Amino acid sequence: MGSAQGKQSSLAVPRCPPGESFLPGQIYGAACWVILCQQGFTMDPATVSTSSSCNCTLFPAVLLVMALLMAAHKLGLLCQLWHKVEPKSPRHGGELVAEVLKAHRVRYLFTLVGGHISPILVASEKLGIRVVDTRHEATAVFAADAVARLSGTVGVAAVTAGPGVTNTITAVKNAQMAESPVLLIGGAASRLQKGRGALQDIDQMSLLRPLCKFCASVQTVREIVPVLRRAIATAQSDTPGPVFVEFPVDVLYPYHVVEKELTPKGSPKTFIAKAMSWYQHNFLRNLFAGAWETQDLFPLPVHVPQATAKQVQQCVELVSRAKKPIILLGSQVTLPPTPVEELRAALEDLAIPCFLGGMARGMLGRDSPLHIHQNRREALKEADVVILAGTVCDFRLSYGRVLSRYSKIIAVNRNRSQLLLNSDIFWKPQVTIQGDASSFLLCLSRGLKGYSCPQDWAASLKDNDHQKEKANREKAEKPTEQHLNPLKVLHHMDALLPENSLLVLDGGDFVGSAAYIVQPPGPLCWLDPGAFGTLGIGGGFALGAKLCRPDSEVWILYGDGSLGYSILEFDTFVRHKTPVIALVGNDACWSQIAREQVPMLGSNVACGLAYLDYHTVAEGLGGRGFLLTRQDEGNLDNMLRAAQEQCIQGHPVLINALIGRTNFRDGSISM
């Protein structure tokens, strides 16, 4: 029928002849008339009466009944007829939250404690979910993000209302841009107190809606289970991302506690007081109606988009004729359902040279002849077929300008907007597939059985790779004006990494250099913030990584600027017995900014820091600290091994490496 707003319609009001009663259909018609009138339709007075003899007075009564039914529904009276209320039950909504998380294989719940969410934390611990409290809410979300990336399931953080939720905004946005399935649970003021000046009461939903795939505010205890199940499934379906569920405090505590807080003391005297008392008690009963009825807790189906057989065959034909093909792997290839080991085997079968970015770093191991580290721009200019497998043409690929107009480009991405970003401006795809990149590569590998990528193409790229790495090693041996050469520190660290190591990258210039030098030993061994470039992820990512991989040697590569965001999490590492090693490139500067700001604008304003004793701070928080200076240049390996030994003994370690400045990354500004 379309929108009712601004339209007129002649509706005949049902009338009843004298002495007759309304039939059910007539009552239904009256109800429809009431609803349509509420939607903006107007009534033609000429049609009010179906006959001049109709003089029925029942219609106002029907309208009254319908109004009462609608009021009863709004007040929850009808729901209380269908669902049992158990005022004496000691159970609380936090138990339902914990049961859903347990059923979804959630092992860790990251938090910064607050009264609004205490029932969730207590119940989760009782069910065997490890509750890990951090020193900042953003760290809790970063840790959940790392767990989501490494575990193949949703990562979960719970924070208190108001500032607890607002402190997570950057971390949630980072998860959105990194396509990580994170569930953020937020406390909230009680429903009856919203908008009345309650503690930490703000409009949280408006803040989180632009950042999350799904947002919901739980209104009754019986809604907890279905809302959480839907949120978790949504977080993992299609393009993964964060979701937010808000829990008003009154849906989490037991009946008797909420009753004591929300209902008036003593007997009401006046009519208004009695009406208010009735409303509050009715609100309470509706809040808990059906709270403890049996519900299905287990995961809902997760939807993963797939390439069609026709699309795969089209790509098989393109690649089979290629002489210089290249695959660019992005973070999406690490997403479930394809195990990373299966993807690695498929890539080795294809034998096509690969450039790895984001979470895909390490996919082919350390010494694979297929993994090309350097000279990506030059290789792309020569390639005749390029497969963008979860790789986006954003600033990291110069918005697509590095792609040759003569290359046939196959783009695969779960997210349609990312799939086509900047297309027909700087680049043009031959085939676009909105689907899972790793599943597509498995199908492509099966379709190309017998295909052999020209060996001279891969060999020439690898030769160029070796030449660039040799040049980098030569730069690492050149002394800086003062302190240690950062490239030398990174080369020594890389040489000592064990096969079970996992790397967390949090910084600008020092970390940007590490991306060229340090090689993760295998798949899912590299954690960086992603496209948002967020500083401060180090403490949370390392915490989540160490919990997921307790046998791995977890390293955080920090700049001295980024370290300031999460150095206090060394207290968290100590309390929760999660020993990690932090290597800080301390050049007393925000070097990534100063590198361009000073020559372009002639000022170092706001870029200067100091060579602080960060290792002493770590020791003060219960960890172990090491200071590396130029005097230790000939003893770097022994110092780094000593730090590794302390970590093996169960101590979190911070290595404060005083470094000088190089020209290694000049011209690295992104616009």
Side-chain angles (χ1 to χ4, degrees):
M1 182 178 291
S3 173
Q5 187 173 1
K7 296 183 179 181
Q8 290 190 348
S9 176
S10 295
L11 300 175
V13 181
R15 304 300 294 265
C16 178
E20 297 183 16
S21 61
F22 268 88
L23 297 173
Q26 292 172 309
I27 296 175
Y28 175 78
C32 291
W33 178 80
V34 172
I35 294 169
L36 288 169
C37 284
Q38 288 180 330
Q39 297 299 316
F41 284 86
T42 60
M43 183 178 64
D44 186 346
T47 63
V48 169
S49 178
T50 57
S51 70
S52 59
S53 61
C54 208
N55 191 25
C56 178
T57 59
L58 286 179
F59 185 65
V62 172
L63 292 181
L64 178 61
V65 169
M66 295 303 300
L68 290 173
L69 286 173
M70 292 174 68
H73 172 69
K74 285 286 187 182
L75 292 170
L77 297 174
L78 299 180
C79 184
Q80 292 174 45
L81 295 176
W82 300 325
H83 297 289
K84 185 178 180 181
V85 181
E86 302 178 54
K88 295 185 179 180
S89 174
R91 298 195 64 189
H92 57 79
E95 295 174 351
L96 295 179
V97 176
E99 288 170 7
V100 174
L101 298 182
K102 186 74 173 179
H104 285 73
R105 299 184 296 115
V106 172
R107 297 174 58 199
Y108 307 106
L109 176 60
F110 299 96
T111 190
L112 198 157
V113 70
H116 289 88
I117 57 169
S118 289
I120 296 175
L121 308 183
V122 172
S124 295
E125 184 183 45
K126 286 183 178 178
L127 286 185
I129 298 171
R130 185 168 175 180
V131 177
V132 183
D133 59 308
T134 64
R135 300 303 297 265
H136 195 286
E137 289 89 352
T139 299
V141 177
F142 287 136
D145 186 341
V147 168
R149 300 187 194 197
L150 295 174
S151 68
T153 186
V154 70
V156 185
V159 299
T160 198
V165 170
T166 59
N167 277 347
T168 69
I169 295 299
T170 297
V172 172
K173 180 64 182 179
N174 193 80
Q176 181 195 43
M177 293 191 67
E179 299 173 349
S180 291
V182 171
L183 166 63
L184 175 63
I185 292 171
S190 106
R191 288 178 58 206
L192 281 183
Q193 309 300 344
K194 277 188 173 290
R196 297 175 56 201
L199 175 67
Q200 298 175 335
D201 178 26
I202 62 168
D203 182 4
Q204 300 175 159
M205 301 296 284
S206 294
L207 288 173
L208 273 300
R209 278 194 188 98
L211 309 179
C212 295
K213 294 181 66 182
F214 172 88
C215 286
S217 181
V218 174
Q219 301 297 295
T220 62
V221 180
R222 63 184 172 274
E223 292 179 17
I224 290 175
V225 171
V227 168
L228 271 180
R229 292 175 73 213
R230 182 183 171 195
I232 294 172
T234 302
Q236 299 174 90
S237 291
D238 299 307
T239 304
V243 294
F244 174 64
V245 180
E246 176 186 81
F247 287 89
V249 68
D250 46 5
V251 305
L252 292 178
Y253 280 84
Y255 187 102
H256 68 277
V257 173
V258 180
E259 181 181 37
K260 180 180 178 182
E261 293 297 323
L262 295 187
T263 56
K265 314 292 187 292
S267 300
K269 304 298 183 184
T270 67
F271 174 79
I272 296 296
K274 290 179 180 179
M276 182 60 70
S277 175
W278 176 89
Y279 178 82
Q280 290 170 323
H281 280 91
N282 176 72
F283 173 87
L284 180 64
R285 291 182 63 81
N286 182 53
L287 192 68
F288 283 89
W292 317 123
E293 294 172 359
T294 302
Q295 298 187 65
D296 188 358
L297 301 171
F298 291 94
L300 294 170
V302 172
H303 177 255
V304 178
Q306 301 287 351
T308 65
K310 182 178 179 181
Q311 289 172 326
V312 172
Q313 183 56 37
Q314 188 180 2
C315 296
V316 165
E317 293 171 4
L318 279 175
V319 177
S320 66
R321 295 190 293 268
K323 302 300 181 185
K324 295 182 177 181
I326 284 178
I327 301 176
L328 271 59
L329 297 170
S331 295
Q332 274 193 13
V333 299
T334 65
L335 293 172
T338 303
V340 289
E341 294 79 10
E342 288 187 23
L343 176 59
R344 178 174 178 174
L347 292 169
E348 289 172 346
D349 287 343
L350 286 167
I352 296 174
C354 298
F355 288 91
L356 312 179
M359 284 285 291
R361 291 175 184 268
M363 180 63 69
L364 295 168
R366 275 182 176 270
D367 301 311
S368 170
L370 301 178
H371 180 196
I372 313 302
H373 300 263
Q374 316 285 349
N375 303 311
R376 184 178 65 181
R377 181 183 294 266
E378 293 77 7
L380 288 172
K381 292 301 181 185
E382 289 188 57
D384 55 1
V385 171
V386 177
I387 301 175
L388 303 177
T391 300
V392 182
C393 288
D394 56 15
F395 69 93
R396 292 167 292 184
L397 283 181
S398 296
Y399 310 99
R401 284 178 291 202
V402 297
L403 299 172
S404 170
R405 69 180 68 180
Y406 303 109
S407 300
K408 292 181 172 60
I409 300 169
I410 300 168
V412 191
N413 200 293
R414 294 194 188 192
N415 186 314
R416 183 159 184 81
S417 64
Q418 297 295 295
L419 173 68
L420 300 172
L421 192 65
N422 297 310
S423 64
D424 297 321
I425 301 175
F426 299 120
W427 67 288
K428 188 175 181 64
Q430 184 84 6
V431 181
T432 56
I433 300 170
Q434 186 178 357
D436 178 55
S438 53
S439 301
F440 163 77
L441 289 171
L442 261 62
C443 293
L444 185 67
S445 175
R446 288 192 287 266
L448 283 167
K449 286 295 182 185
Y451 165 76
S452 178
C453 177
Q455 293 185 0
D456 58 342
W457 167 238
S460 67
L461 293 177
K462 201 65 179 176
D463 286 344
N464 293 336
D465 220 26
H466 290 321
Q467 292 176 19
K468 188 67 175 285
E469 288 178 353
K470 181 182 177 183
N472 289 342
R473 287 189 176 277
E474 291 173 353
K475 290 180 180 179
E477 294 304 319
K478 293 180 179 179
T480 53
E481 289 186 13
Q482 59 175 343
H483 304 303
L484 292 164
N485 185 319
L487 305 182
K488 186 167 188 174
V489 174
L490 290 168
H491 275 295
H492 279 263
M493 174 248 185
D494 180 60
L496 293 176
L497 288 178
E499 285 302 309
N500 70 341
S501 59
L502 190 152
L503 303 165
V504 174
L505 290 300
D506 184 10
D509 199 63
F510 185 64
V511 167
S513 298
Y516 289 91
I517 294 168
V518 180
Q519 299 182 35
L524 294 176
C525 292
W526 179 281
L527 291 175
D528 62 26
F532 203 29
T534 308
L535 293 181
I537 58 97
F541 273 29
L543 177 64
K546 188 63 179 179
L547 289 169
C548 284
R549 305 261 188 91
D551 296 329
S552 291
E553 186 172 280
V554 176
W555 286 75
I556 318 171
L557 295 184
Y558 276 119
D560 54 336
S562 63
L563 175 66
Y565 288 89
S566 63
I567 191 171
L568 205 60
E569 299 303 341
F570 266 79
D571 166 65
T572 306
F573 299 146
V574 172
R575 286 186 296 106
H576 289 283
K577 296 179 172 58
T578 49
V580 302
I581 306 175
L583 174 61
V584 184
N586 184 357
D587 59 3
C589 186
W590 294 95
S591 292
Q592 182 153 301
I593 309 305
R595 188 180 292 282
E596 308 299 337
Q597 179 176 308
V598 173
M600 285 184 181
L601 303 174
S603 172
N604 196 44
V605 61
C607 294
L609 295 171
Y611 285 105
L612 298 179
D613 292 337
Y614 298 115
H615 56 291
T616 303
V617 177
E619 290 176 346
L621 294 169
R624 299 291 186 269
F626 290 82
L627 176 64
L628 293 184
T629 69
R630 177 167 280 182
Q631 286 67 42
D632 303 304
E633 188 167 16
N635 198 34
L636 283 177
D637 286 351
N638 289 335
M639 297 282 284
L640 293 172
R641 286 194 184 100
Q644 289 175 309
E645 183 58 35
Q646 286 293 316
C647 186
I648 291 170
Q649 293 177 16
H651 305 292
V653 179
L654 188 148
I655 305 167
N656 186 12
L658 306 188
I659 59 174
R661 294 176 174 83
T662 72
N663 63 355
F664 183 64
R665 299 187 68 246
D666 283 353
S668 60
I669 191 170
S670 293
M671 286 193 179

